[in-house]
């Protein structure tokens, strides 16, 4: 179970993303499109085109989850 700390930021990406992307692809998307650092502990939520699935990207201090 993922348990973020008390003051964690959660950013929801409203545009659908290509769900073939892995951790590295989503991290690159965060850096280029959102101008955010994916290694700060912020939780990034991505959705599929049909909005029936989602992916969550989070840096836990040792790697991307």
């Amino acid at each position: 179970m993922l348990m973020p700390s008390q003051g964690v930021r959660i950013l929801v990406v409203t545009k659908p993303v290509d769900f073939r992307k892995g951790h590295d692809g989503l991290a690159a998307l965060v850096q280029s499109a959102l101008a955010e650092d994916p290694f700060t502990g912020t939780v990034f939520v991505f959705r599929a085109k049909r909005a029936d699935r989602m992916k969550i990207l989070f840096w836990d201090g040792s790697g991307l989850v």
Side-chain angles (χ1 to χ4, degrees):
M1 182 186 302
L2 181 67
M3 298 298 291
S5 63
Q6 178 93 4
V8 69
R9 288 178 35 187
I10 300 173
L11 297 178
V12 179
V13 180
T14 57
K15 285 188 166 183
V17 298
D18 182 1
F19 261 42
R20 295 175 291 183
K21 292 183 185 287
H23 293 97
D24 295 331
L26 292 175
L29 182 66
V30 165
Q31 288 176 329
S32 65
L34 300 177
E36 293 281 340
D37 185 7
F39 307 106
T40 58
T42 302
V43 176
F44 298 94
V45 180
F46 302 92
R47 72 174 186 93
K49 187 174 183 180
R50 294 188 331 180
D52 61 343
R53 292 172 289 160
M54 63 185 206
K55 283 189 176 184
I56 298 172
L57 185 69
F58 175 71
W59 174 259
D60 69 351
S62 64
L64 289 168
V65 179

